[in-house]
Amino acid sequence: QVQLVESGGGLVQPGGSLRLSCAASGFTLGGYAIGWFRQAPGKEREGVSCISSIGRTTYYADSVKARFTISRDNTRNTVLLQMNSLKFEDTAVYYCATRPTTCGSNWYDSGRFGSWGQGTQVTVSS
């Protein structure tokens, strides 16, 4: 069964950190670019970050630049999203998704991504 599973979400205070993990089962992540998206209540899903299949290229939304770092370990079939200096507005359900090889200039377009995980909740609250 082809599946993506996100983990690592939770409740954190503003300024805190979390590390999200996207793990694949049933297939190899190595041939895919991986995107992280998030969706807050009442808002559309938005692109957060993307990493190409071999990790050479990364993209970030302006809202998370310098705070979030995406990385991948293809030997462990896992992509990570390190989130630092978290803000209230980072509260959302975070999803990972796949698309072939490259992120592309339109990496933030969720419609161009195929397999999706079930999401992990990130709540930033004092």
Side-chain angles (χ1 to χ4, degrees):
Q1 182 180 2
V2 174
Q3 192 174 12
L4 286 172
V5 178
E6 302 94 338
S7 61
L11 174 64
V12 64
Q13 292 185 341
S17 298
L18 285 174
R19 187 175 70 172
L20 304 185
S21 177
C22 173
S25 63
F27 71 106
T28 302
L29 280 180
Y32 295 92
I34 302 299
W36 281 99
F37 294 80
R38 66 186 181 187
Q39 188 164 20
K43 294 188 176 182
E44 292 187 355
R45 189 169 296 187
E46 64 171 345
V48 175
S49 185
C50 186
I51 187 167
S52 63
S53 60
I54 58 174
R56 183 172 295 171
T57 308
T58 58
Y59 297 86
Y60 297 93
D62 288 344
S63 59
V64 307
K65 276 181 183 176
R67 299 189 298 123
F68 290 12
T69 303
I70 192 170
S71 62
R72 67 188 301 155
D73 184 347
N74 287 342
T75 64
R76 298 188 177 188
N77 224 21
T78 301
V79 172
L80 301 176
L81 185 69
Q82 178 67 42
M83 306 189 298
N84 298 328
S85 303
L86 284 162
K87 304 177 180 180
F88 293 119
E89 53 264 41
D90 294 319
T91 295
V93 178
Y94 283 69
Y95 302 88
C96 62
T98 65
R99 65 174 292 178
T101 310
T102 62
C103 297
S105 58
N106 53 4
W107 65 270
Y108 47 83
D109 182 353
S110 61
R112 296 185 175 272
F113 285 76
S115 299
W116 290 79
Q118 83 292 345
T120 185
Q121 176 70 49
V122 171
T123 302
V124 184
S125 175
S126 56

